[in-house]
């Protein structure tokens, strides 16, 4: 993978906010390793010196030194873990918030480009991968650099030759081994996160589509595909583990080899009197101990690559343009009932190059009942999505109270509408929480009234915990009950304009009549857009638009359209004959 310096700086930029803690944690890391080196050095000196049987006073300082370094090593390690994990957890929670904000901003545009499982993997696994960036990349690299320079200077005081041997060993272990291992495992590292995304997408699709897989007997087939993907994932992981094993082996070999070379170089120095005899064991053990600083660098390179890939996948989400843009100086919404004017509206989804809506014009004056009918795929839901500003209509095509819809804040616009959608979602929460998303400050009495209005009163009585009953993704709820819950939500919203996208689609004929009676009563005097598949009660509509392939092919009242004897009459008669 291309390791772009810009990407590394962008990742480092994430740490900017925690500069103080980052420096502190690196200093603690450095102090931990120097304490380890100091412990080895003073112990070696103590043992060598004690062998010459000096007076205890000579050994006193080194005994205190051993105690000091032994204790301080543990204390510094503890402080280092405390500060580095604190930085890490703050970094992660900030990142999660940032990814969630991004997803919210780019939805639904992102849904077209990514599988939901892939999005989930970005928001969870990729964020988690970045956990390693500071603790396992930045901190070890800086500490290793400091220790290498420090040890080079320290041993250089005894002999330049000694310093070169030690620094070369440290560089070989800290730079050469990770570099070779990185080159060897390049392919596996690039494919691993992508495979993880595919695996997570496959799992989420298989779970969501399980019913169809069972009905069509395709579980075995899907399982085979899944196993193949899993196999690929495992092979890639094994390849990576092999490279890791190799660098682990070199990590053990190089420190011992260097210590041996230090010994070879140091012995003649002792013989020549350039180095005191008691220092022979000291330099060898110091050399050995200093490798603790470079040992994590192999893992650091791998983690850097994984972090870069994860961050690229996360940051690439931020480059997706949002489906809707808010104006900088938004107009306040006019109070009371607002008229909606749609004028020569053409629309195509960004991912497609065919127009889904062409030259649509209509007026929804306060109190008007407008029906939009037509076959599936005609563009009816798209029209609703544009009114709700889930997608942006071209400027100058939709007006609220005479002003372009783009002049208002998206959230203000959405607050104008009560909606019943076919794709309403039930969250894995209690019934109360599922209703409160429509009106967060509603009292229980209001929730119960809305449920009763939506003819869910009896159903509520059968629930074991009433409003506290836990609802899952459609769990134990029939299509009709879910549809009624969506209606109850719309009733709670109680907004001036209603958008009803096939509000009775999952109801039986008797239930449909009851719900339509209730809606008609409730919506008297309120502007309403009815999208209807089943053409019932069309006589009550102020205007009916017949949409086909994105165009209005007929329009008028029920009586005039029946008289026209065109496509509307055909739809009406087929719908009545069902
Ligand atoms: P209806 O509600 O009348 O059944 P829709 O508005 O859902 O029709 O769809 C109209 C057309 O737009 C269809 O051809 C559909 O495939 C397409 N479409 C709907 N949603 C999207 C989307 N998010 N991205 C691309 N095309 C879409």
């Amino acid at each position: 993978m291309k390791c772009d310096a810009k990407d590394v700086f962008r990742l480092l930029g994430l740490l900017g906010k925690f500069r103080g803690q980052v420096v502190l944690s690196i200093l603690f890391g450095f102090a931990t390793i120097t304490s380890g080196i100091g412990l080895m050095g003073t112990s070696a000196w103590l043992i060598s010196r004690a062998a010459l049987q000096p007076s205890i006073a000579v050994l006193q300082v080194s005994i205190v030194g051993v105690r000091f370094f032994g204790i301080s090593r543990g204390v510094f390690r503890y402080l280092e873990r405390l500060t580095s994990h604190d930085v890490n957890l703050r970094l992660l929670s900030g990142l999660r918030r940032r990814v969630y904000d991004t997803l919210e901003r780019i939805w639904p545009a992102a849904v077209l480009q990514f599988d939901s499982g892939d999005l989930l993997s970005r928001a969870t696994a990729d964020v988690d991968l970045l956990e390693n960036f500071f603790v396992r990349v930045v901190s070890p690299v800086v500490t290793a650099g400091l220790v290498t320079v420090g040890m080079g200077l320290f041993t250089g005081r005894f002999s330049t030759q000694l310093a070169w041997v030690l620094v070369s060993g440290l560089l070989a272990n800290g730079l050469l081994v990770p570099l070779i291992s990185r080159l060897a495992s390049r392919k596996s590292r690039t494919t691993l996160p992508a495979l993880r995304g595919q695996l997570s997408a496959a799992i989420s699709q298989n779970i969501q589509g399980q019913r169809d897989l069972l009905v069509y007997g395709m579980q075995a087939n899907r399982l085979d595909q899944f196993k193949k993907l899993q196999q690929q994932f495992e092979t890639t992981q094994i390849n990576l583990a092999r490279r890791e094993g190799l660098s682990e082996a070199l990590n053990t070999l190089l420190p011992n080899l260097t210590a041996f070379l230090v010994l070879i170089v140091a012995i003649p120095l002792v013989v020549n009197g350039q180095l005191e005899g008691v220092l022979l064991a000291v330099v060898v053990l110091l050399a050995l101990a200093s490798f603790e600083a470079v040992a994590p660098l192999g893992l650091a390179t791998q983690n850097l690559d994984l972090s870069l890939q994860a961050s690229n996948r996360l940051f690439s989400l931020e480059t997706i343009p949002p489906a809707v843009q808010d104006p900088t100086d938004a107009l306040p919404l006019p109070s009371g009932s607002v008229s909606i004017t749609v004028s020569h509206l053409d629309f195509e989804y960004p991912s497609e190059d065919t127009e889904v809506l062409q030259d649509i014009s209509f007026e929804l004056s306060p109190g008007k009942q407008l029906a939009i009918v037509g076959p599936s795929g005609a563009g009816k839901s798209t029209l609703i999505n544009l009114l709700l500003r889930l997608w942006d209509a071209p400027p100058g095509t939709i007006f609220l109270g005479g002003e372009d819809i783009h002049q208002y804040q998206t959230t203000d616009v959405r607050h104008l509408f009560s909606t019943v959608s076919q794709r309403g979602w039930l969250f894995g929460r209690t019934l109360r929480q599922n209703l409160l998303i429509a009106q967060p400050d509603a009292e229980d009495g209001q929730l119960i009234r809305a449920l009763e209005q939506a003819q869910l009163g009896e159903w509520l009585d059968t629930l074991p915990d009433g409003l506290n009953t836990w609802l899952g993704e459609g769990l134990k709820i029939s299509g009709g009950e879910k549809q009624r819950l969506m209606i109850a939500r719309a009733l709670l919203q109680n907004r001036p304009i209603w958008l009803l996208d096939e509000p009775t689609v999952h109801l039986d004929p008797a239930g449909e009549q009851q719900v339509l009676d209730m809606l008609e009563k409730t919506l008297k005097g309120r502007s309403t857009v009815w999208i209807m598949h089943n053409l019932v009660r069309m006589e009550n509509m102020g205007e009916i638009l017949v949409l086909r392939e994105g165009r209005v092919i007929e329009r008028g009242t029920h009586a005039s359209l029946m008289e026209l004897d065109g496509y509307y009459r055909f739809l009406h008669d087929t719908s009545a004959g069902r």
Side-chain angles (χ1 to χ4, degrees), residues 102-166:
T102 309
L103 286 179
E104 206 172 75
R105 191 174 51 80
I106 61 176
W107 189 89
V111 179
L112 295 183
Q113 296 186 25
F114 302 101
D115 191 282
S116 60
D118 189 14
L119 280 179
L120 181 71
S121 148
R122 285 170 200 249
T124 53
D126 285 346
V127 171
D128 287 344
L129 268 179
L130 288 182
E131 176 186 19
N132 295 329
F133 178 62
F134 174 59
V135 177
R136 303 220 164 91
V137 181
V138 180
S139 180
V141 168
V142 179
T143 312
L146 291 176
V147 170
T148 307
V149 173
M151 285 307 291
L153 292 176
F154 182 72
T155 43
R157 289 179 53 193
F158 302 115
S159 136
T160 340
Q161 217 185 345
L162 258 185
W164 276 119
V165 171
L166 179 57

Side-chain angles (χ1 to χ4, degrees), residues 27-226:
L27 285 180
F28 284 138
F30 179 65
T32 311
I33 293 185
T34 13
S35 296
I37 297 171
L39 180 65
M40 279 295 216
T42 40
S43 317
W45 189 87
L46 181 64
I47 295 167
S48 308
R49 198 75 179 93
L52 301 178
Q53 298 182 336
S55 83
I56 192 76
V58 176
L59 301 178
Q60 203 61 46
V61 176
S62 58
I63 291 171
V64 173
V66 169
R67 270 195 217 135
F68 169 77
F69 286 126
I71 295 169
S72 66
R73 187 179 145 78
V75 173
F76 284 135
R77 173 63 76 207
Y78 172 74
L79 293 173
E80 186 262 330
R81 286 287 130 108
L82 207 63
T83 41
S84 64
H85 282 86
D86 187 47
V87 171
N88 228 13
L89 295 176
R90 282 171 202 274
L91 182 77
L92 284 196
S93 69
L95 260 177
R96 280 201 193 95
R97 212 169 308 137
R98 180 166 163 172
V99 172
Y100 190 82
D101 282 348
T102 309
L103 286 179
E104 206 172 75
R105 191 174 51 80
I106 61 176
W107 189 89
V111 179
L112 295 183
Q113 296 186 25
F114 302 101
D115 191 282
S116 60
D118 189 14
L119 280 179
L120 181 71
S121 148
R122 285 170 200 249
T124 53
D126 285 346
V127 171
D128 287 344
L129 268 179
L130 288 182
E131 176 186 19
N132 295 329
F133 178 62
F134 174 59
V135 177
R136 303 220 164 91
V137 181
V138 180
S139 180
V141 168
V142 179
T143 312
L146 291 176
V147 170
T148 307
V149 173
M151 285 307 291
L153 292 176
F154 182 72
T155 43
R157 289 179 53 193
F158 302 115
S159 136
T160 340
Q161 217 185 345
L162 258 185
W164 276 119
V165 171
L166 179 57
V167 170
S168 311
L170 287 171
L171 288 179
N173 199 175
L175 284 182
L176 214 58
V177 174
L179 222 62
I180 293 171
S181 133
R182 180 168 188 267
L183 285 177
S185 58
R186 187 164 33 188
K187 197 165 155 254
S188 317
R189 269 182 291 105
T190 335
T191 44
L192 198 67
L195 278 173
R196 187 180 289 114
Q198 284 176 29
L199 208 60
S200 140
I203 292 173
S204 91
Q205 285 200 10
N206 287 351
I207 291 175
Q208 284 172 6
Q210 205 181 52
R211 187 181 173 279
D212 292 292
L213 292 177
L214 286 172
V215 171
Y216 294 111
M218 290 300 282
Q219 323 85 291
N221 183 299
R222 288 295 290 201
L223 196 62
D224 278 348
Q225 289 175 12
F226 184 72

